[in-house]
Amino acid sequence: MISHRQLVEEVASRARLDDTEAADAAVHLVLAALSSRLDAPCREHLRQAVPAHERGALTYGGEAADDSAMRLDELLADVARPVDATLEQALFLARTVVCRLTAEDTALEAELQGALPDEFGMLFAEPDPLPERSSRAT
């Protein structure tokens, strides 16, 4: 399992964020948005796979989001809105977080891919490096 520090540092480095506080917030946003779209068993598997510090970001109990929220653009909006990021920035952050979490846990990756609509598949592809410095929006 990846450590909290390693996850945040990798997100900060890959997204070229100015500080780890912004990266920590981005990780929390991605995990909250993702977990709200999962059923309880899949959400629990995700909870066990994330560093303990991140578990508070995951939704407890309840059912997965309704069909209208099961679109990738809605997940990206949920990530982007609180930090005034673009959907492109949100996609980069989501891909970075998901790929870091599933890099060593192929069972988690398979379960998440099976639980989410096909359009979410792009979250499991390593993002290309950013060509230039990212906005401080996140």
Side-chain angles (χ1 to χ4, degrees):
M1 174 191 317
I2 191 168
S3 72
H4 167 70
R5 180 178 177 187
Q6 185 181 14
L7 178 60
V8 169
E9 286 176 355
E10 285 193 40
V11 170
S13 173
R14 290 171 184 264
R16 297 185 183 155
L17 298 173
D18 292 339
D19 57 45
T20 56
E21 214 172 278
D24 187 47
V27 169
H28 273 41
L29 286 170
V30 170
L31 290 175
L34 183 62
S35 73
S36 71
R37 286 157 173 86
L38 300 173
D39 64 16
C42 192
R43 191 179 309 131
E44 183 57 31
H45 189 173
L46 179 62
R47 183 183 321 285
Q48 296 306 314
V50 300
H53 180 80
E54 305 302 338
R55 291 181 183 151
L58 278 65
T59 305
Y60 285 92
E63 294 300 315
D66 63 29
D67 288 342
S68 66
M70 290 301 284
R71 296 191 338 249
L72 182 60
D73 62 335
E74 291 295 324
L75 178 137
L76 298 178
D78 287 350
V79 172
R81 193 175 303 113
V83 291
D84 197 29
T86 67
L87 293 181
E88 183 177 84
Q89 290 167 325
L91 177 59
F92 184 89
L93 292 169
R95 289 174 75 182
T96 301
V97 171
V98 169
C99 287
R100 297 289 47 101
L101 288 176
T102 61
E104 296 176 17
D105 191 342
T106 56
L108 175 64
E109 180 178 0
E111 185 173 2
L112 291 174
Q113 285 184 326
L116 296 166
D118 290 343
E119 73 175 305
F120 284 71
M122 69 176 19
L123 295 180
F124 301 91
E126 194 73 44
D128 293 330
L130 289 175
E132 58 189 54
R133 186 163 176 81
S134 169
S135 166
R136 177 72 171 93
T138 54

